[in-house]
Coordinates of all heavy atoms in Angstrom, one line a residue:
M1 N 26.0 -28.8 -56.1 CA 25.6 -28.9 -57.5 C 24.3 -28.1 -57.8 O 23.3 -28.2 -57.0 CB 25.5 -30.4 -57.9 CG 25.0 -30.5 -59.3 SD 24.6 -32.3 -59.6 CE 25.3 -32.5 -61.1
I2 N 24.2 -27.4 -58.9 CA 23.0 -26.6 -59.2 C 22.4 -27.3 -60.4 O 23.0 -27.7 -61.4 CB 23.4 -25.2 -59.6 CG1 24.0 -24.5 -58.4 CG2 22.1 -24.5 -60.1 CD1 24.5 -23.1 -58.7
E3 N 21.1 -27.5 -60.2 CA 20.3 -28.1 -61.3 C 19.3 -27.2 -61.8 O 18.6 -26.5 -61.0 CB 19.7 -29.4 -60.8 CG 19.0 -30.2 -61.9 CD 18.5 -31.6 -61.4 OE1 19.2 -32.2 -60.6 OE2 17.4 -31.9 -61.8
L4 N 19.2 -27.0 -63.1 CA 18.2 -26.0 -63.7 C 17.3 -26.8 -64.6 O 17.7 -27.5 -65.4 CB 19.0 -25.0 -64.5 CG 18.2 -23.9 -65.1 CD1 17.5 -23.0 -64.1 CD2 19.1 -23.0 -66.0
Q5 N 16.0 -26.5 -64.3 CA 14.9 -27.1 -65.2 C 14.2 -26.0 -65.9 O 13.9 -25.0 -65.3 CB 13.9 -27.9 -64.4 CG 14.5 -29.1 -63.8 CD 13.5 -29.9 -63.0 OE1 12.3 -29.5 -62.9 NE2 13.9 -31.1 -62.5
V6 N 14.0 -26.2 -67.2 CA 13.4 -25.1 -68.0 C 12.1 -25.8 -68.6 O 12.1 -26.8 -69.2 CB 14.3 -24.7 -69.2 CG1 13.6 -23.7 -70.1 CG2 15.6 -24.1 -68.6
D7 N 11.0 -25.0 -68.5 CA 9.8 -25.4 -69.1 C 9.8 -25.0 -70.5 O 9.7 -23.8 -70.8 CB 8.6 -24.8 -68.3 CG 7.3 -25.1 -68.9 OD1 7.2 -25.8 -69.9 OD2 6.2 -24.8 -68.2
Q8 N 10.0 -25.9 -71.4 CA 10.2 -25.6 -72.8 C 9.0 -24.9 -73.4 O 9.1 -24.0 -74.3 CB 10.5 -26.9 -73.6 CG 11.8 -27.5 -73.3 CD 13.0 -26.6 -73.7 OE1 12.9 -26.0 -74.7 NE2 14.0 -26.6 -72.9
S9 N 7.8 -25.3 -73.0 CA 6.6 -24.7 -73.6 C 6.4 -23.2 -73.1 O 6.1 -22.4 -73.9 CB 5.3 -25.5 -73.2 OG 5.1 -25.5 -71.8
K10 N 6.8 -22.9 -71.9 CA 6.8 -21.6 -71.4 C 7.8 -20.7 -72.1 O 7.6 -19.6 -72.5 CB 7.0 -21.5 -69.9 CG 6.9 -20.2 -69.3 CD 5.5 -19.6 -69.4 CE 5.4 -18.3 -68.7 NZ 4.2 -17.6 -68.9
L11 N 9.0 -21.3 -72.3 CA 10.1 -20.6 -73.0 C 9.6 -20.3 -74.4 O 9.9 -19.2 -74.9 CB 11.3 -21.5 -73.0 CG 12.6 -20.9 -73.6 CD1 13.0 -19.6 -72.9 CD2 13.7 -21.9 -73.6
K12 N 9.0 -21.2 -75.1 CA 8.5 -21.0 -76.5 C 7.5 -19.9 -76.5 O 7.5 -19.1 -77.4 CB 7.9 -22.3 -77.1 CG 7.5 -22.2 -78.5 CD 6.9 -23.5 -79.0 CE 6.4 -23.3 -80.4 NZ 5.8 -24.4 -81.0
Q13 N 6.6 -19.9 -75.5 CA 5.5 -18.9 -75.5 C 6.2 -17.5 -75.3 O 5.7 -16.6 -76.0 CB 4.6 -19.2 -74.3 CG 3.5 -18.2 -74.1 CD 2.7 -18.4 -72.8 OE1 2.9 -19.3 -72.1 NE2 1.8 -17.5 -72.6
L14 N 7.1 -17.4 -74.4 CA 7.8 -16.1 -74.2 C 8.5 -15.6 -75.4 O 8.5 -14.4 -75.8 CB 8.8 -16.2 -73.0 CG 8.1 -16.4 -71.6 CD1 9.2 -16.7 -70.6 CD2 7.4 -15.1 -71.2
Y15 N 9.1 -16.5 -76.1 CA 9.9 -16.3 -77.4 C 8.9 -15.8 -78.4 O 9.1 -14.7 -79.1 CB 10.6 -17.5 -77.8 CG 11.4 -17.3 -79.1 CD1 12.6 -16.6 -79.0 CD2 11.0 -17.9 -80.3 CE1 13.4 -16.5 -80.2 CE2 11.7 -17.7 -81.4 CZ 12.9 -17.0 -81.4 OH 13.7 -16.9 -82.5
E16 N 7.8 -16.4 -78.6 CA 6.8 -16.0 -79.6 C 6.2 -14.7 -79.3 O 5.9 -13.8 -80.1 CB 5.7 -17.1 -79.7 CG 6.2 -18.3 -80.4 CD 5.1 -19.5 -80.4 OE1 4.1 -19.3 -79.8 OE2 5.4 -20.4 -81.1
E17 N 5.9 -14.4 -78.0 CA 5.4 -13.1 -77.6 C 6.3 -12.0 -77.9 O 6.0 -10.9 -78.4 CB 5.0 -13.1 -76.1 CG 3.8 -13.9 -75.7 CD 3.6 -14.1 -74.2 OE1 4.4 -13.5 -73.4 OE2 2.7 -14.7 -73.8
A18 N 7.6 -12.2 -77.7 CA 8.6 -11.2 -78.0 C 8.7 -10.9 -79.5 O 8.8 -9.8 -79.9 CB 10.0 -11.7 -77.4
I19 N 8.6 -12.0 -80.3 CA 8.6 -11.8 -81.7 C 7.4 -11.0 -82.2 O 7.5 -10.1 -83.0 CB 8.7 -13.2 -82.4 CG1 10.1 -13.8 -82.2 CG2 8.4 -13.0 -83.9 CD1 10.2 -15.2 -82.8
H20 N 6.2 -11.4 -81.7 CA 5.0 -10.7 -82.1 C 5.1 -9.2 -81.7 O 4.6 -8.3 -82.4 CB 3.8 -11.3 -81.5 CG 3.4 -12.6 -82.2 ND1 3.0 -12.7 -83.5 CD2 3.5 -13.9 -81.7 CE1 2.8 -13.9 -83.8 NE2 3.1 -14.7 -82.8
K21 N 5.6 -8.9 -80.5 CA 5.7 -7.5 -80.0 C 6.6 -6.7 -81.0 O 6.3 -5.6 -81.3 CB 6.3 -7.5 -78.6 CG 6.5 -6.1 -78.0 CD 7.0 -6.1 -76.7 CE 7.3 -4.7 -76.2 NZ 8.0 -4.6 -74.9
H22 N 7.8 -7.4 -81.3 CA 8.7 -6.7 -82.2 C 8.1 -6.4 -83.6 O 8.2 -5.4 -84.2 CB 10.0 -7.5 -82.4 CG 11.0 -6.9 -83.2 ND1 11.7 -5.7 -82.9 CD2 11.5 -7.2 -84.5 CE1 12.5 -5.4 -83.8 NE2 12.4 -6.3 -84.8
L23 N 7.3 -7.4 -84.1 CA 6.7 -7.2 -85.4 C 5.6 -6.2 -85.4 O 5.4 -5.4 -86.3 CB 6.1 -8.6 -85.9 CG 7.1 -9.6 -86.3 CD1 6.3 -11.0 -86.6 CD2 7.9 -9.2 -87.5
D24 N 4.9 -6.1 -84.3 CA 3.9 -5.0 -84.1 C 4.5 -3.7 -84.1 O 4.0 -2.7 -84.7 CB 3.1 -5.2 -82.8 CG 2.1 -6.4 -82.9 OD1 1.8 -6.9 -84.0 OD2 1.7 -6.8 -81.8
E25 N 5.7 -3.5 -83.5 CA 6.4 -2.3 -83.5 C 6.9 -1.9 -84.9 O 6.8 -0.7 -85.3 CB 7.6 -2.3 -82.5 CG 7.2 -2.4 -81.1 CD 8.4 -2.6 -80.2 OE1 9.6 -2.8 -80.7 OE2 8.2 -2.8 -79.0
L26 N 7.3 -2.9 -85.6 CA 7.7 -2.6 -87.0 C 6.5 -2.1 -87.9 O 6.6 -1.2 -88.7 CB 8.4 -3.8 -87.7 CG 9.7 -4.2 -87.1 CD1 10.2 -5.5 -87.8 CD2 10.7 -3.1 -87.4
D27 N 5.4 -2.8 -87.7 CA 4.2 -2.4 -88.4 C 3.7 -1.0 -88.1 O 3.0 -0.3 -88.9 CB 3.0 -3.4 -88.2 CG 3.3 -4.7 -88.9 OD1 4.1 -4.7 -89.8 OD2 2.6 -5.7 -88.5
S28 N 3.9 -0.6 -86.9 CA 3.4 0.8 -86.5 C 4.4 1.9 -86.8 O 4.2 3.0 -86.3 CB 3.2 0.8 -85.0 OG 4.3 0.6 -84.2
E29 N 5.4 1.6 -87.6 CA 6.4 2.6 -88.0 C 5.6 3.8 -88.7 O 4.7 3.6 -89.4 CB 7.4 2.1 -88.9 CG 8.5 3.1 -89.2 CD 9.7 2.4 -89.9 OE1 10.0 1.3 -89.6 OE2 10.2 3.1 -90.8
K30 N 6.1 4.9 -88.5 CA 5.5 6.1 -89.0 C 5.5 6.2 -90.5 O 6.4 5.7 -91.2 CB 6.2 7.4 -88.5 CG 6.1 7.5 -87.0 CD 6.9 8.6 -86.5 CE 6.9 8.7 -85.0 NZ 7.8 9.6 -84.4
V31 N 4.4 6.7 -91.1 CA 4.3 6.8 -92.5 C 5.0 8.1 -93.0 O 5.6 8.1 -94.0 CB 2.8 6.9 -93.0 CG1 2.6 7.2 -94.4 CG2 2.1 5.6 -92.6
Y32 N 4.9 9.1 -92.2 CA 5.5 10.4 -92.5 C 6.4 10.8 -91.3 O 6.1 10.5 -90.1 CB 4.5 11.5 -92.7 CG 3.6 11.3 -93.8 CD1 2.3 10.8 -93.7 CD2 4.1 11.5 -95.1 CE1 1.5 10.6 -94.8 CE2 3.3 11.3 -96.2 CZ 2.0 10.8 -96.1 OH 1.2 10.6 -97.1
W33 N 7.5 11.4 -91.6 CA 8.4 12.0 -90.6 C 8.2 13.5 -90.6 O 7.9 14.1 -91.6 CB 9.8 11.7 -90.9 CG 10.2 10.3 -90.9 CD1 9.5 9.2 -90.5 CD2 11.4 9.8 -91.5 NE1 10.2 8.1 -90.7 CE2 11.4 8.4 -91.3 CE3 12.5 10.4 -92.0 CZ2 12.4 7.6 -91.7 CZ3 13.6 9.5 -92.5 CH2 13.5 8.1 -92.3
D34 N 8.4 14.1 -89.4 CA 8.5 15.6 -89.4 C 10.0 15.9 -89.3 O 10.8 15.0 -89.3 CB 7.6 16.1 -88.2 CG 8.1 15.7 -86.8 OD1 9.1 15.0 -86.7 OD2 7.5 16.0 -85.8
S35 N 10.3 17.2 -89.1 CA 11.7 17.6 -89.1 C 12.4 17.0 -87.9 O 13.6 16.7 -88.0 CB 11.8 19.1 -89.2 OG 11.1 19.7 -88.1
N36 N 11.7 16.9 -86.8 CA 12.4 16.3 -85.6 C 12.8 14.9 -85.8 O 13.8 14.4 -85.5 CB 11.6 16.5 -84.4 CG 11.5 17.9 -83.9 OD1 12.5 18.6 -84.0 ND2 10.4 18.3 -83.3
E37 N 11.9 14.1 -86.4 CA 12.1 12.7 -86.7 C 13.2 12.6 -87.8 O 14.1 11.7 -87.7 CB 10.9 12.0 -87.2 CG 11.0 10.5 -87.4 CD 11.1 9.8 -86.1 OE1 10.9 10.3 -85.1 OE2 11.5 8.6 -86.2
L38 N 13.3 13.5 -88.8 CA 14.3 13.4 -89.8 C 15.7 13.7 -89.1 O 16.6 13.0 -89.4 CB 14.0 14.5 -90.9 CG 15.1 14.6 -92.0 CD1 15.1 13.3 -92.8 CD2 14.7 15.7 -92.9
K39 N 15.7 14.7 -88.2 CA 17.0 15.0 -87.5 C 17.4 13.7 -86.7 O 18.6 13.4 -86.7 CB 16.8 16.2 -86.6 CG 16.7 17.5 -87.4 CD 16.7 18.7 -86.5 CE 15.4 18.8 -85.6 NZ 15.3 20.0 -84.8
R40 N 16.5 13.1 -86.0 CA 16.8 11.9 -85.2 C 17.3 10.8 -86.1 O 18.3 10.1 -85.7 CB 15.5 11.5 -84.4 CG 15.8 10.4 -83.4 CD 14.5 9.9 -82.7 NE 13.7 9.1 -83.6 CZ 13.9 7.8 -83.8 NH1 15.0 7.2 -83.3 NH2 13.1 7.1 -84.6
R41 N 16.6 10.5 -87.2 CA 17.0 9.4 -88.1 C 18.3 9.6 -88.8 O 19.0 8.6 -89.0 CB 15.9 9.2 -89.1 CG 14.5 8.8 -88.6 CD 14.5 7.4 -88.2 NE 13.2 7.0 -87.7 CZ 12.6 5.9 -88.1 NH1 13.2 5.0 -88.8 NH2 11.4 5.6 -87.6
T42 N 18.7 10.8 -89.1 CA 19.9 11.1 -89.8 C 21.1 11.4 -88.8 O 22.2 11.5 -89.2 CB 19.8 12.2 -90.8 OG1 19.3 13.4 -90.0 CG2 18.7 11.9 -91.8
C43 N 20.7 11.7 -87.6 CA 21.8 12.1 -86.6 C 22.4 13.4 -87.1 O 23.6 13.6 -86.9 CB 22.8 11.1 -86.3 SG 22.1 9.6 -85.6
M44 N 21.6 14.3 -87.7 CA 22.1 15.6 -88.2 C 21.3 16.7 -87.6 O 20.1 16.5 -87.3 CB 22.0 15.6 -89.7 CG 22.8 14.7 -90.5 SD 22.5 14.9 -92.3 CE 23.6 13.7 -93.0
S45 N 21.9 17.9 -87.5 CA 21.2 19.1 -87.1 C 20.4 19.6 -88.3 O 20.6 19.2 -89.5 CB 22.1 20.2 -86.6 OG 22.9 20.7 -87.8
W46 N 19.4 20.5 -88.0 CA 18.6 21.0 -89.1 C 19.5 21.8 -90.1 O 19.3 21.7 -91.3 CB 17.5 21.9 -88.5 CG 16.5 22.3 -89.5 CD1 16.3 23.6 -89.9 CD2 15.6 21.5 -90.3 NE1 15.3 23.6 -90.9 CE2 14.9 22.4 -91.2 CE3 15.4 20.1 -90.4 CZ2 14.0 21.9 -92.1 CZ3 14.5 19.7 -91.3 CH2 13.8 20.5 -92.1
N47 N 20.4 22.6 -89.6 CA 21.3 23.3 -90.5 C 22.1 22.4 -91.4 O 22.3 22.7 -92.6 CB 22.3 24.2 -89.7 CG 21.6 25.4 -89.1 OD1 20.5 25.8 -89.6 ND2 22.1 26.0 -88.0
T48 N 22.6 21.3 -90.8 CA 23.4 20.3 -91.7 C 22.5 19.7 -92.7 O 22.9 19.6 -93.9 CB 24.0 19.2 -90.8 OG1 24.9 19.8 -89.8 CG2 24.8 18.2 -91.6
I49 N 21.3 19.4 -92.3 CA 20.3 18.8 -93.3 C 20.1 19.8 -94.5 O 20.2 19.4 -95.6 CB 19.0 18.4 -92.6 CG1 19.2 17.2 -91.7 CG2 17.9 18.1 -93.7 CD1 18.0 16.9 -90.8
Q50 N 19.8 21.0 -94.1 CA 19.6 22.0 -95.1 C 20.8 22.3 -96.0 O 20.7 22.6 -97.2 CB 19.1 23.3 -94.5 CG 17.7 23.2 -93.9 CD 17.2 24.5 -93.3 OE1 17.9 25.2 -92.6 NE2 16.0 24.8 -93.6
N51 N 22.0 22.2 -95.4 CA 23.2 22.5 -96.2 C 23.7 21.3 -97.0 O 24.5 21.5 -97.9 CB 24.3 22.9 -95.2 CG 24.1 24.3 -94.6 OD1 23.4 25.1 -95.1 ND2 24.7 24.5 -93.4
T52 N 23.1 20.1 -96.8 CA 23.6 19.0 -97.5 C 22.6 18.5 -98.6 O 22.9 18.4 -99.7 CB 24.0 17.8 -96.6 OG1 22.9 17.5 -95.7 CG2 25.3 18.2 -95.8
F53 N 21.4 18.1 -98.1 CA 20.5 17.5 -99.1 C 19.1 18.0 -99.2 O 18.4 17.7 -100.1 CB 20.4 15.9 -98.8 CG 19.9 15.6 -97.5 CD1 18.5 15.6 -97.2 CD2 20.7 15.3 -96.4 CE1 18.0 15.2 -96.0 CE2 20.2 14.9 -95.2 CZ 18.8 14.9 -95.0
F54 N 18.7 18.9 -98.2 CA 17.3 19.3 -98.2 C 16.8 20.0 -99.4 O 15.7 19.8 -99.9 CB 17.1 20.3 -97.0 CG 15.7 20.7 -96.7 CD1 14.9 19.9 -96.0 CD2 15.2 21.9 -97.2 CE1 13.5 20.2 -95.8 CE2 13.9 22.2 -97.0 CZ 13.1 21.4 -96.3
F55 N 17.6 20.8 -100.1 CA 17.2 21.5 -101.2 C 17.5 20.8 -102.6 O 17.2 21.4 -103.6 CB 17.9 22.9 -101.2 CG 17.4 23.8 -100.1 CD1 18.3 24.0 -99.0 CD2 16.1 24.3 -100.1 CE1 17.8 24.8 -97.9 CE2 15.7 25.0 -99.0 CZ 16.5 25.3 -97.9
E56 N 17.9 19.5 -102.5 CA 18.0 18.8 -103.7 C 16.7 18.5 -104.3 O 15.7 18.2 -103.5 CB 18.8 17.5 -103.5 CG 20.3 17.7 -103.2 CD 21.1 16.5 -103.3 OE1 20.6 15.5 -103.9 OE2 22.2 16.5 -102.7
E57 N 16.6 18.6 -105.6 CA 15.3 18.5 -106.3 C 14.5 17.2 -106.0 O 13.3 17.2 -105.8 CB 15.5 18.7 -107.8 CG 14.2 18.8 -108.6 CD 14.5 19.0 -110.0 OE1 15.3 19.9 -110.3 OE2 13.8 18.3 -110.9
D58 N 15.3 16.1 -105.9 CA 14.6 14.8 -105.7 C 14.4 14.4 -104.2 O 13.9 13.3 -103.9 CB 15.3 13.7 -106.5 CG 16.8 13.6 -106.1 OD1 17.3 14.6 -105.6 OD2 17.4 12.6 -106.4
F59 N 14.7 15.3 -103.3 CA 14.5 15.0 -101.9 C 13.0 15.1 -101.6 O 12.4 16.2 -101.8 CB 15.3 15.9 -101.0 CG 15.0 15.7 -99.5 CD1 15.3 14.4 -99.0 CD2 14.5 16.7 -98.7 CE1 15.0 14.2 -97.6 CE2 14.2 16.5 -97.4 CZ 14.4 15.2 -96.8
P60 N 12.3 14.1 -101.1 CA 10.8 14.1 -101.0 C 10.4 14.9 -99.7 O 10.8 14.5 -98.6 CB 10.5 12.6 -100.8 CG 11.7 12.0 -100.3 CD 12.9 12.8 -100.8
K61 N 9.7 15.9 -100.0 CA 9.2 16.7 -98.8 C 7.9 17.5 -99.2 O 7.7 17.7 -100.4 CB 10.2 17.7 -98.4 CG 10.7 18.7 -99.5 CD 11.9 19.5 -99.1 CE 12.5 20.4 -100.1 NZ 13.2 19.7 -101.1
V62 N 7.1 17.8 -98.2 CA 5.9 18.5 -98.4 C 5.7 19.5 -97.2 O 5.9 19.0 -96.1 CB 4.6 17.6 -98.5 CG1 3.3 18.4 -98.6 CG2 4.7 16.6 -99.6
K63 N 5.4 20.7 -97.5 CA 5.1 21.6 -96.4 C 3.6 21.9 -96.3 O 3.0 22.3 -97.3 CB 5.8 23.0 -96.7 CG 5.8 23.9 -95.5 CD 6.8 25.1 -95.7 CE 6.9 25.9 -94.4 NZ 7.8 27.0 -94.6
L64 N 3.1 21.5 -95.2 CA 1.7 21.8 -94.9 C 1.6 22.7 -93.7 O 2.1 22.5 -92.6 CB 1.0 20.4 -94.5 CG 1.0 19.4 -95.5 CD1 0.4 18.1 -94.9 CD2 0.2 19.8 -96.7
G65 N 1.0 23.9 -94.0 CA 1.0 24.9 -93.0 C 2.4 25.4 -92.9 O 3.1 25.7 -93.8
G66 N 2.9 25.4 -91.7 CA 4.3 25.9 -91.5 C 5.2 24.7 -91.2 O 6.3 24.9 -90.7
K67 N 4.7 23.5 -91.4 CA 5.5 22.3 -91.0 C 5.9 21.4 -92.2 O 5.0 21.2 -93.0 CB 4.7 21.5 -90.0 CG 5.4 20.4 -89.3 CD 4.6 19.8 -88.1 CE 5.4 18.7 -87.5 NZ 4.7 18.2 -86.3
W68 N 7.1 20.9 -92.2 CA 7.6 20.0 -93.2 C 7.3 18.6 -92.9 O 7.4 18.2 -91.7 CB 9.1 20.1 -93.4 CG 9.5 21.4 -94.1 CD1 10.0 22.5 -93.6 CD2 9.4 21.6 -95.5 NE1 10.2 23.4 -94.6 CE2 9.9 22.9 -95.8 CE3 9.0 20.9 -96.6 CZ2 9.9 23.5 -97.0 CZ3 9.0 21.4 -97.9 CH2 9.5 22.7 -98.1
Y69 N 6.9 17.8 -93.9 CA 6.6 16.4 -93.7 C 7.4 15.6 -94.8 O 7.5 16.1 -95.9 CB 5.1 16.0 -93.9 CG 4.3 16.6 -92.7 CD1 3.7 17.8 -92.8 CD2 4.2 15.9 -91.5 CE1 3.0 18.3 -91.8 CE2 3.4 16.4 -90.5 CZ 2.8 17.6 -90.6 OH 2.1 18.1 -89.6
F70 N 7.9 14.4 -94.4 CA 8.7 13.6 -95.3 C 8.2 12.2 -95.3 O 8.1 11.6 -94.3 CB 10.2 13.6 -94.8 CG 10.7 15.0 -94.4 CD1 10.6 15.5 -93.1 CD2 11.2 15.9 -95.4 CE1 11.0 16.8 -92.8 CE2 11.6 17.1 -95.1 CZ 11.5 17.6 -93.8
P71 N 7.7 11.7 -96.5 CA 7.3 10.3 -96.6 C 8.4 9.4 -96.2 O 9.4 9.4 -96.8 CB 6.9 10.2 -98.0 CG 7.1 11.5 -98.7 CD 7.8 12.4 -97.8
A72 N 8.1 8.6 -95.2 CA 9.2 7.8 -94.5 C 9.9 6.8 -95.5 O 11.1 6.9 -95.6 CB 8.6 6.9 -93.4
E73 N 9.2 6.0 -96.3 CA 9.8 5.1 -97.2 C 10.6 5.8 -98.3 O 11.8 5.4 -98.6 CB 8.8 4.1 -97.8 CG 8.2 3.1 -96.8 CD 9.3 2.3 -96.0 OE1 10.2 1.8 -96.7 OE2 9.2 2.1 -94.8
E74 N 10.0 6.8 -98.9 CA 10.7 7.5 -99.9 C 12.0 8.2 -99.4 O 13.0 8.3 -100.0 CB 9.8 8.6 -100.6 CG 8.7 8.1 -101.4 CD 7.9 9.2 -102.0 OE1 8.4 10.1 -102.6 OE2 6.6 9.1 -101.7
T75 N 11.8 8.8 -98.2 CA 13.0 9.5 -97.6 C 14.1 8.5 -97.3 O 15.3 8.8 -97.5 CB 12.5 10.2 -96.3 OG1 11.4 11.1 -96.7 CG2 13.6 11.1 -95.7
K76 N 13.8 7.3 -96.7 CA 14.8 6.3 -96.5 C 15.5 6.0 -97.8 O 16.8 5.9 -97.8 CB 14.2 5.1 -95.9 CG 13.8 5.2 -94.5 CD 13.3 3.8 -94.0 CE 12.3 3.9 -92.9 NZ 11.7 2.6 -92.6
R77 N 14.8 5.7 -98.8 CA 15.4 5.4 -100.1 C 16.4 6.5 -100.6 O 17.5 6.3 -101.0 CB 14.4 5.1 -101.2 CG 13.8 3.7 -101.0 CD 13.0 3.3 -102.3 NE 11.9 4.1 -102.5 CZ 10.7 3.9 -102.0 NH1 10.5 3.0 -101.1 NH2 9.7 4.7 -102.2
F78 N 15.8 7.7 -100.5 CA 16.6 8.9 -100.9 C 17.9 9.0 -100.1 O 19.0 9.2 -100.7 CB 15.8 10.2 -100.8 CG 16.7 11.4 -101.0 CD1 16.9 11.9 -102.3 CD2 17.3 12.0 -99.9 CE1 17.7 13.0 -102.5 CE2 18.1 13.1 -100.1 CZ 18.3 13.6 -101.4
L79 N 17.8 8.9 -98.8 CA 19.0 9.0 -97.9 C 20.0 7.9 -98.2 O 21.2 8.3 -98.2 CB 18.5 9.0 -96.5 CG 17.8 10.3 -96.0 CD1 17.2 10.1 -94.6 CD2 18.6 11.5 -96.1
N80 N 19.5 6.7 -98.4 CA 20.5 5.7 -98.7 C 21.2 5.9 -100.0 O 22.4 5.7 -100.1 CB 19.8 4.3 -98.7 CG 19.4 3.8 -97.3 OD1 20.1 4.1 -96.4 ND2 18.3 3.1 -97.2
E81 N 20.5 6.3 -101.1 CA 21.1 6.6 -102.3 C 22.0 7.8 -102.2 O 23.1 7.8 -102.8 CB 20.0 6.9 -103.4 CG 19.5 5.6 -104.0 CD 20.5 4.7 -104.6 OE1 21.3 5.2 -105.4 OE2 20.5 3.5 -104.3
W82 N 21.6 8.9 -101.5 CA 22.4 10.1 -101.4 C 23.7 9.8 -100.7 O 24.7 10.2 -101.1 CB 21.5 11.1 -100.5 CG 22.3 12.3 -100.2 CD1 22.4 13.4 -101.1 CD2 23.0 12.6 -99.0 NE1 23.2 14.4 -100.4 CE2 23.5 13.9 -99.2 CE3 23.2 11.9 -97.9 CZ2 24.3 14.5 -98.2 CZ3 24.0 12.5 -96.9 CH2 24.5 13.8 -97.1
L83 N 23.7 8.9 -99.7 CA 24.9 8.6 -99.0 C 25.8 7.7 -99.8 O 27.0 7.9 -99.8 CB 24.5 7.8 -97.7 CG 25.7 7.7 -96.7 CD1 26.2 9.1 -96.3 CD2 25.2 6.9 -95.5
K84 N 25.2 6.8 -100.6 CA 26.0 6.0 -101.5 C 26.8 6.8 -102.5 O 27.9 6.6 -102.8 CB 25.2 5.0 -102.3 CG 24.8 3.8 -101.5 CD 23.9 2.9 -102.4 CE 23.2 1.8 -101.6 NZ 22.3 1.0 -102.5
Q85 N 26.1 7.9 -103.0 CA 26.8 8.8 -104.0 C 27.9 9.6 -103.4 O 28.8 10.1 -104.1 CB 25.7 9.7 -104.6 CG 24.7 9.0 -105.4 CD 23.6 9.9 -105.8 OE1 23.5 11.1 -105.5 NE2 22.6 9.3 -106.5
R86 N 27.9 9.7 -102.0 CA 28.9 10.5 -101.4 C 30.2 9.7 -101.0 O 31.1 10.2 -100.6 CB 28.4 11.1 -100.1 CG 27.2 12.1 -100.2 CD 27.5 13.2 -101.2 NE 26.4 14.1 -101.6 CZ 25.5 13.9 -102.4 NH1 25.3 12.7 -103.0 NH2 24.6 14.8 -102.7
R87 N 30.2 8.4 -101.2 CA 31.3 7.5 -100.9 C 32.5 7.8 -101.8 O 32.4 8.0 -102.9 CB 30.9 6.1 -100.9 CG 30.0 5.7 -99.9 CD 29.7 4.2 -100.0 NE 28.7 3.9 -99.0 CZ 28.0 2.7 -99.0 NH1 28.2 1.8 -99.9 NH2 27.1 2.5 -98.1

């Protein structure tokens, strides 16, 4: 026969640490995406992005120097709405 004893206080501590770690990761989410992050988040190639929504007037983007930046929250909202319209 196998008997298992669990320290409830230690289990609770480990659970709370895992939750705090996850919340810290969410808080540290990027404010802006670059083109590589946009490709990663959409699972699309750069050519597909440009051929589908990049040049739409309301797609949020800013070019600084030679690099494109996309405000993360605005871009998420745009992409969700854009996809809904394609259904």
